[in-house]
Amino acid sequence: MQPQVYQHTFPNGLTLLAERMEHVRSAALNFLVPAGCVYDPPERLGIAAVLADLITRGAGERDSRELSLALDNLGLDRNESVGLMHTRFWGFTLARNIPAALEIYADILRRPHLPDEEVDAVKALALQDLRGLEDEPRSKVLVELRRHYYPTPLSNDHRGTVEGIADLTAEGIREQHRRLFHPAGTILSVAGNIEWQPLLEQVGRLFGDWNGKAETPIACGPQPEKLGHIAKDLEQTQIGIAYDSVPIGDPDYYAALGAVNVLSGNMSSRLFTEVREKEGLCYAVWATYHTLKDRARVICYAGSRNERAQRTLDVLLRELRRLPEGVESDEVERVQAGLKSSLIMQQESTAGRALSLASDWYYLGRVRSFDELQAAIDGLTPGNIGEHLRRCPPRDFTLVTLGPKPLTAAD
Amino acid sequence: MQPQVYQHTFPNGLTLLAERMEHVRSAALNFLVPAGCVYDPPERLGIAAVLADLITRGAGERDSRELSLALDNLGLDRNESVGLMHTRFWGFTLARNIPAALEIYADILRRPHLPDEEVDAVKALALQDLRGLEDEPRSKVLVELRRHYYPTPLSNDHRGTVEGIADLTAEGIREQHRRLFHPAGTILSVAGNIEWQPLLEQVGRLFGDWNGKAETPIACGPQPEKLGHIAKDLEQTQIGIAYDSVPIGDPDYYAALGAVNVLSGNMSSRLFTEVREKEGLCYAVWATYHTLKDRARVICYAGSRNERAQRTLDVLLRELRRLPEGVESDEVERVQAGLKSSLIMQQESTAGRALSLASDWYYLGRVRSFDELQAAIDGLTPGNIGEHLRRCPPRDFTLVTLGPKPLTAAD
């Protein structure tokens, strides 16, 4: 059951990763292109998302319609999404259709038409996506939380701004493509019932002569104000909290992950028990760990009826603040059981594996083995989680609320 | 790669289904108990959801906390959810932990404490879930669409009503459990790296002496009004449309599924192309097929900026109405490619297989094989899809909108 993982970095900087899973019929592919919304120019916020939509509207020899048809004919379940650091192209289908899909993706990434006549429709869609956020308070509070936690441009949201999208031109979008779509830093991962040698040869032929240099590092603006409230007449108050953690490459990383899972990882974790089960304060409450390459944060969310919102926030902050007092060995055992179960689920899915390969390579420059991950989970103890929490306690909270009234964060 | 599927129905009416997948480490389990919200008494709407939350708060020898801990210690990723016909208990973990999980589920289903002292917290949570719906216009329009399409009690939503939840008592909830949790019609499915014989013996021991008789058939109320509008000051207008289709057991079933996938199944399907790509009318648009045992419907959804909402509805209805004019062979080929890809994805996941086994048994009284499904997909043609659409054209639309202004459905 030990999987075979392959890796090759071409001279132009493109990295190909693959995992052979011979007991499946499917395969998944995943391109990470370093063209996330962090690179949106301040006066063009939203351009990465517009580009990610326009880029599949014709490429190589195919016009927009022909391109869609060609991908759909391969039975490709796919999507294109813009994250902070990368634009991601993801696809899943029968393993035998992967070579044909790669031929098309080479056109999309390298030879998109980015046609003038589709720009208005794409901009209209981007504006709809942005406006729709106003009707989705849960997503909205998390977007605003990011704005209050990170300096620009790390606080960018892929949806951009009305002004940023309104001023976009076809030529500006093409310029953005020329600037950001290049092999240096691009990662292609494939997992499933595939053969490494033919894959390597095909990717070399399709992308080996792709050129371009990596984007210069981004410069961050000043640290934003840590507290925010958006007044809106809603049934529920949305609460978002963020605080610093250690990034994935840090020696404390697994302890940090363990600590977050003590808070929120299963039905008997602390937030679920204290906020939801004991007091029935809110239906949805969770905490999650989120890393960039050089920094990381923990995000907590709760959505609560307005009259219970202050109490919900009080209990949330109490639980965060008492975390450094220590965690129990039975809590750690449950966290370990849950993390192992998640690890197995991810290992058994071609889509999960393709994502993990690329993610590991981006963050760590290598792919972690199942044994390494299992050993890291087994290595968690109340001792090392407690030590981490005392070095890096939950504090200096960024707090954003969305609802009829602001709340008070007691010291 | 042909999976081994096993089935046994015990004398008390409980059916056990299992699929052995020997190349994985995980397994998933899935109980379907015929205790969905369709059985909520009219004056107690929401009781099924309250029961599904309360039922895990102590069972057998374990109190609420001990039960949560025991399940979490098995690394069980789990949830309990209330559908129209069933309450579902779903769990995923390492295959070797499944026997211990089944022991606990036998307590939950048969010997829950349903403790008085937790009822207030559970009711508070149920009310929060219900109130939260008011802040989620997308979900809200689909709940309202169901109310306008189905007669009661088929139109019930698991969230219930404020009045229904407010009046619930611990004794009433216990009575509901006695009335609805019984082996007749309950289905347990397990998929993953499991052995049939020990599983069969264990389930026989845990559930063989469970007694109780099946619930009487439900009686439906009058057909509701087909048009609805909920006035709300939002950025987007939410549109929901429903119309009759044929249920899963019908000879036309695969043709009906093919027809819906011509509308909405991939990036070049009609709704995506006409509504989203060509005119940029709305960001989210889809159609999906939904079956009960004896009837089925197609549901269409779009969320559109208010000023484009009428045009969005016009294009949606135009596309639905022109469907019986026929579908093209290249459309059918793409639908086939997409359906095969989905089939493979579902086949390769233990969670997907556990759900399919139980679903097939409930609807069809047997489990469809991969070969049967593949042959049915291969058998789709423009001819048989077209014939189905002429026999059962999209018409007599139920239409619900949510936004500042009602829309007009042109004839």
Side-chain angles (χ1 to χ4, degrees), chain A residues 7-27:
Chain A
Q7 178 269 329
H8 179 77
T9 299
F10 293 90
N12 63 8
L14 172 77
T15 295
L16 171 66
L17 299 157
E19 181 163 323
R20 177 162 166 74
M21 298 163 75
E22 57 191 11
H23 295 299
V24 299
R25 275 182 270 217
S26 71

PDB file of all heavy atoms in Angstrom, chain A residues 7-27:
ATOM      1  N   GLN A   7       8.862  12.885  -8.762  1.00  0.00           N
ATOM      2  CA  GLN A   7       8.999  14.337  -8.831  1.00  0.00           C
ATOM      3  C   GLN A   7      10.066  14.700  -9.844  1.00  0.00           C
ATOM      4  O   GLN A   7      11.096  14.022  -9.962  1.00  0.00           O
ATOM      5  CB  GLN A   7       9.378  14.864  -7.439  1.00  0.00           C
ATOM      6  CG  GLN A   7       9.593  16.367  -7.360  1.00  0.00           C
ATOM      7  CD  GLN A   7      11.036  16.782  -7.605  1.00  0.00           C
ATOM      8  OE1 GLN A   7      11.949  16.046  -7.285  1.00  0.00           O
ATOM      9  NE2 GLN A   7      11.219  17.969  -8.199  1.00  0.00           N
ATOM     10  N   HIS A   8       9.817  15.755 -10.605  1.00  0.00           N
ATOM     11  CA  HIS A   8      10.830  16.285 -11.509  1.00  0.00           C
ATOM     12  C   HIS A   8      10.627  17.785 -11.654  1.00  0.00           C
ATOM     13  O   HIS A   8       9.503  18.237 -11.876  1.00  0.00           O
ATOM     14  CB  HIS A   8      10.726  15.614 -12.885  1.00  0.00           C
ATOM     15  CG  HIS A   8      11.743  16.143 -13.863  1.00  0.00           C
ATOM     16  ND1 HIS A   8      13.076  15.757 -13.823  1.00  0.00           N
ATOM     17  CD2 HIS A   8      11.642  17.060 -14.860  1.00  0.00           C
ATOM     18  CE1 HIS A   8      13.742  16.400 -14.781  1.00  0.00           C
ATOM     19  NE2 HIS A   8      12.890  17.192 -15.423  1.00  0.00           N
ATOM     20  N   THR A   9      11.720  18.550 -11.503  1.00  0.00           N
ATOM     21  CA  THR A   9      11.643  19.987 -11.773  1.00  0.00           C
ATOM     22  C   THR A   9      12.383  20.264 -13.078  1.00  0.00           C
ATOM     23  O   THR A   9      13.553  19.889 -13.224  1.00  0.00           O
ATOM     24  CB  THR A   9      12.227  20.809 -10.616  1.00  0.00           C
ATOM     25  OG1 THR A   9      11.462  20.525  -9.435  1.00  0.00           O
ATOM     26  CG2 THR A   9      12.130  22.302 -10.903  1.00  0.00           C
ATOM     27  N   PHE A  10      11.687  20.853 -14.030  1.00  0.00           N
ATOM     28  CA  PHE A  10      12.276  21.154 -15.328  1.00  0.00           C
ATOM     29  C   PHE A  10      13.186  22.384 -15.209  1.00  0.00           C
ATOM     30  O   PHE A  10      13.040  23.187 -14.270  1.00  0.00           O
ATOM     31  CB  PHE A  10      11.168  21.413 -16.359  1.00  0.00           C
ATOM     32  CG  PHE A  10      10.348  20.189 -16.659  1.00  0.00           C
ATOM     33  CD1 PHE A  10       9.208  19.896 -15.920  1.00  0.00           C
ATOM     34  CD2 PHE A  10      10.739  19.307 -17.668  1.00  0.00           C
ATOM     35  CE1 PHE A  10       8.466  18.765 -16.174  1.00  0.00           C
ATOM     36  CE2 PHE A  10       9.994  18.161 -17.927  1.00  0.00           C
ATOM     37  CZ  PHE A  10       8.855  17.886 -17.182  1.00  0.00           C
ATOM     38  N   PRO A  11      14.125  22.549 -16.166  1.00  0.00           N
ATOM     39  CA  PRO A  11      15.041  23.699 -16.083  1.00  0.00           C
ATOM     40  C   PRO A  11      14.306  25.046 -16.025  1.00  0.00           C
ATOM     41  O   PRO A  11      14.814  26.003 -15.452  1.00  0.00           O
ATOM     42  CB  PRO A  11      15.867  23.581 -17.369  1.00  0.00           C
ATOM     43  CG  PRO A  11      15.822  22.133 -17.723  1.00  0.00           C
ATOM     44  CD  PRO A  11      14.475  21.635 -17.266  1.00  0.00           C
ATOM     45  N   ASN A  12      13.120  25.120 -16.584  1.00  0.00           N
ATOM     46  CA  ASN A  12      12.395  26.401 -16.550  1.00  0.00           C
ATOM     47  C   ASN A  12      11.683  26.657 -15.218  1.00  0.00           C
ATOM     48  O   ASN A  12      11.049  27.684 -15.036  1.00  0.00           O
ATOM     49  CB  ASN A  12      11.408  26.513 -17.719  1.00  0.00           C
ATOM     50  CG  ASN A  12      10.317  25.436 -17.657  1.00  0.00           C
ATOM     51  OD1 ASN A  12      10.204  24.704 -16.670  1.00  0.00           O
ATOM     52  ND2 ASN A  12       9.525  25.339 -18.720  1.00  0.00           N
ATOM     53  N   GLY A  13      11.778  25.731 -14.292  1.00  0.00           N
ATOM     54  CA  GLY A  13      11.217  25.973 -12.962  1.00  0.00           C
ATOM     55  C   GLY A  13       9.897  25.269 -12.689  1.00  0.00           C
ATOM     56  O   GLY A  13       9.427  25.253 -11.554  1.00  0.00           O
ATOM     57  N   LEU A  14       9.268  24.686 -13.717  1.00  0.00           N
ATOM     58  CA  LEU A  14       8.019  23.937 -13.508  1.00  0.00           C
ATOM     59  C   LEU A  14       8.317  22.629 -12.779  1.00  0.00           C
ATOM     60  O   LEU A  14       9.218  21.889 -13.163  1.00  0.00           O
ATOM     61  CB  LEU A  14       7.376  23.616 -14.859  1.00  0.00           C
ATOM     62  CG  LEU A  14       6.167  22.683 -14.810  1.00  0.00           C
ATOM     63  CD1 LEU A  14       4.922  23.430 -14.334  1.00  0.00           C
ATOM     64  CD2 LEU A  14       5.905  22.059 -16.179  1.00  0.00           C
ATOM     65  N   THR A  15       7.546  22.335 -11.736  1.00  0.00           N
ATOM     66  CA  THR A  15       7.694  21.065 -11.028  1.00  0.00           C
ATOM     67  C   THR A  15       6.517  20.149 -11.341  1.00  0.00           C
ATOM     68  O   THR A  15       5.363  20.563 -11.268  1.00  0.00           O
ATOM     69  CB  THR A  15       7.775  21.294  -9.510  1.00  0.00           C
ATOM     70  OG1 THR A  15       8.961  22.023  -9.232  1.00  0.00           O
ATOM     71  CG2 THR A  15       7.817  19.966  -8.754  1.00  0.00           C
ATOM     72  N   LEU A  16       6.846  18.912 -11.709  1.00  0.00           N
ATOM     73  CA  LEU A  16       5.833  17.876 -11.930  1.00  0.00           C
ATOM     74  C   LEU A  16       5.919  16.870 -10.795  1.00  0.00           C
ATOM     75  O   LEU A  16       7.003  16.375 -10.469  1.00  0.00           O
ATOM     76  CB  LEU A  16       6.102  17.174 -13.270  1.00  0.00           C
ATOM     77  CG  LEU A  16       5.256  15.911 -13.534  1.00  0.00           C
ATOM     78  CD1 LEU A  16       3.780  16.259 -13.683  1.00  0.00           C
ATOM     79  CD2 LEU A  16       5.768  15.183 -14.784  1.00  0.00           C
ATOM     80  N   LEU A  17       4.777  16.583 -10.182  1.00  0.00           N
ATOM     81  CA  LEU A  17       4.693  15.584  -9.120  1.00  0.00           C
ATOM     82  C   LEU A  17       3.658  14.548  -9.519  1.00  0.00           C
ATOM     83  O   LEU A  17       2.634  14.900 -10.123  1.00  0.00           O
ATOM     84  CB  LEU A  17       4.237  16.233  -7.814  1.00  0.00           C
ATOM     85  CG  LEU A  17       5.137  17.326  -7.251  1.00  0.00           C
ATOM     86  CD1 LEU A  17       4.337  18.243  -6.345  1.00  0.00           C
ATOM     87  CD2 LEU A  17       6.311  16.715  -6.521  1.00  0.00           C
ATOM     88  N   ALA A  18       3.895  13.289  -9.190  1.00  0.00           N
ATOM     89  CA  ALA A  18       2.884  12.277  -9.527  1.00  0.00           C
ATOM     90  C   ALA A  18       2.874  11.173  -8.483  1.00  0.00           C
ATOM     91  O   ALA A  18       3.900  10.879  -7.866  1.00  0.00           O
ATOM     92  CB  ALA A  18       3.158  11.685 -10.906  1.00  0.00           C
ATOM     93  N   GLU A  19       1.702  10.630  -8.287  1.00  0.00           N
ATOM     94  CA  GLU A  19       1.587   9.456  -7.420  1.00  0.00           C
ATOM     95  C   GLU A  19       0.798   8.393  -8.165  1.00  0.00           C
ATOM     96  O   GLU A  19      -0.292   8.655  -8.680  1.00  0.00           O
ATOM     97  CB  GLU A  19       0.872   9.833  -6.115  1.00  0.00           C
ATOM     98  CG  GLU A  19       0.745   8.655  -5.170  1.00  0.00           C
ATOM     99  CD  GLU A  19       0.417   9.090  -3.745  1.00  0.00           C
ATOM    100  OE1 GLU A  19       0.929  10.130  -3.295  1.00  0.00           O
ATOM    101  OE2 GLU A  19      -0.371   8.382  -3.105  1.00  0.00           O
ATOM    102  N   ARG A  20       1.392   7.206  -8.220  1.00  0.00           N
ATOM    103  CA  ARG A  20       0.725   6.096  -8.898  1.00  0.00           C
ATOM    104  C   ARG A  20      -0.134   5.335  -7.897  1.00  0.00           C
ATOM    105  O   ARG A  20       0.349   4.846  -6.878  1.00  0.00           O
ATOM    106  CB  ARG A  20       1.788   5.178  -9.492  1.00  0.00           C
ATOM    107  CG  ARG A  20       1.227   3.944 -10.154  1.00  0.00           C
ATOM    108  CD  ARG A  20       2.238   3.314 -11.095  1.00  0.00           C
ATOM    109  NE  ARG A  20       1.807   1.980 -11.459  1.00  0.00           N
ATOM    110  CZ  ARG A  20       0.809   1.717 -12.316  1.00  0.00           C
ATOM    111  NH1 ARG A  20       0.177   2.714 -12.898  1.00  0.00           N
ATOM    112  NH2 ARG A  20       0.463   0.481 -12.591  1.00  0.00           N
ATOM    113  N   MET A  21      -1.455   5.239  -8.197  1.00  0.00           N
ATOM    114  CA  MET A  21      -2.382   4.491  -7.347  1.00  0.00           C
ATOM    115  C   MET A  21      -3.010   3.451  -8.264  1.00  0.00           C
ATOM    116  O   MET A  21      -3.908   3.754  -9.034  1.00  0.00           O
ATOM    117  CB  MET A  21      -3.442   5.440  -6.781  1.00  0.00           C
ATOM    118  CG  MET A  21      -2.826   6.538  -5.892  1.00  0.00           C
ATOM    119  SD  MET A  21      -3.960   7.937  -5.599  1.00  0.00           S
ATOM    120  CE  MET A  21      -5.104   7.218  -4.410  1.00  0.00           C
ATOM    121  N   GLU A  22      -2.505   2.216  -8.165  1.00  0.00           N
ATOM    122  CA  GLU A  22      -2.840   1.263  -9.232  1.00  0.00           C
ATOM    123  C   GLU A  22      -4.183   0.557  -9.037  1.00  0.00           C
ATOM    124  O   GLU A  22      -4.640  -0.133  -9.938  1.00  0.00           O
ATOM    125  CB  GLU A  22      -1.718   0.262  -9.449  1.00  0.00           C
ATOM    126  CG  GLU A  22      -1.333  -0.527  -8.235  1.00  0.00           C
ATOM    127  CD  GLU A  22      -0.028  -1.303  -8.467  1.00  0.00           C
ATOM    128  OE1 GLU A  22       0.658  -1.047  -9.479  1.00  0.00           O
ATOM    129  OE2 GLU A  22       0.259  -2.175  -7.651  1.00  0.00           O
ATOM    130  N   HIS A  23      -4.818   0.750  -7.865  1.00  0.00           N
ATOM    131  CA  HIS A  23      -6.091   0.054  -7.644  1.00  0.00           C
ATOM    132  C   HIS A  23      -7.302   0.910  -8.001  1.00  0.00           C
ATOM    133  O   HIS A  23      -8.419   0.580  -7.638  1.00  0.00           O
ATOM    134  CB  HIS A  23      -6.186  -0.417  -6.192  1.00  0.00           C
ATOM    135  CG  HIS A  23      -5.159  -1.439  -5.863  1.00  0.00           C
ATOM    136  ND1 HIS A  23      -5.111  -2.647  -6.508  1.00  0.00           N
ATOM    137  CD2 HIS A  23      -4.111  -1.431  -5.011  1.00  0.00           C
ATOM    138  CE1 HIS A  23      -4.086  -3.338  -6.049  1.00  0.00           C
ATOM    139  NE2 HIS A  23      -3.461  -2.623  -5.140  1.00  0.00           N
ATOM    140  N   VAL A  24      -7.078   2.039  -8.653  1.00  0.00           N
ATOM    141  CA  VAL A  24      -8.197   2.903  -9.029  1.00  0.00           C
ATOM    142  C   VAL A  24      -8.254   3.025 -10.549  1.00  0.00           C
ATOM    143  O   VAL A  24      -7.311   2.665 -11.252  1.00  0.00           O
ATOM    144  CB  VAL A  24      -8.055   4.310  -8.395  1.00  0.00           C
ATOM    145  CG1 VAL A  24      -8.038   4.220  -6.878  1.00  0.00           C
ATOM    146  CG2 VAL A  24      -6.817   5.027  -8.908  1.00  0.00           C
ATOM    147  N   ARG A  25      -9.384   3.541 -11.029  1.00  0.00           N
ATOM    148  CA  ARG A  25      -9.537   3.786 -12.451  1.00  0.00           C
ATOM    149  C   ARG A  25      -9.363   5.275 -12.786  1.00  0.00           C
ATOM    150  O   ARG A  25      -9.229   5.658 -13.926  1.00  0.00           O
ATOM    151  CB  ARG A  25     -10.934   3.367 -12.914  1.00  0.00           C
ATOM    152  CG  ARG A  25     -11.015   1.886 -13.257  1.00  0.00           C
ATOM    153  CD  ARG A  25     -12.405   1.517 -13.751  1.00  0.00           C
ATOM    154  NE  ARG A  25     -13.220   1.117 -12.608  1.00  0.00           N
ATOM    155  CZ  ARG A  25     -14.137   0.134 -12.644  1.00  0.00           C
ATOM    156  NH1 ARG A  25     -14.362  -0.510 -13.762  1.00  0.00           N
ATOM    157  NH2 ARG A  25     -14.844  -0.177 -11.589  1.00  0.00           N
ATOM    158  N   SER A  26      -9.460   6.105 -11.746  1.00  0.00           N
ATOM    159  CA  SER A  26      -9.492   7.552 -11.973  1.00  0.00           C
ATOM    160  C   SER A  26      -8.109   8.163 -11.848  1.00  0.00           C
ATOM    161  O   SER A  26      -7.146   7.521 -11.440  1.00  0.00           O
ATOM    162  CB  SER A  26     -10.403   8.196 -10.934  1.00  0.00           C
ATOM    163  OG  SER A  26      -9.780   8.161  -9.663  1.00  0.00           O
ATOM    164  N   ALA A  27      -8.035   9.423 -12.196  1.00  0.00           N
ATOM    165  CA  ALA A  27      -6.873  10.231 -11.845  1.00  0.00           C
ATOM    166  C   ALA A  27      -7.334  11.674 -11.696  1.00  0.00           C
ATOM    167  O   ALA A  27      -8.340  12.087 -12.275  1.00  0.00           O
ATOM    168  CB  ALA A  27      -5.776  10.115 -12.892  1.00  0.00           C
TER     169      ALA A  27
END
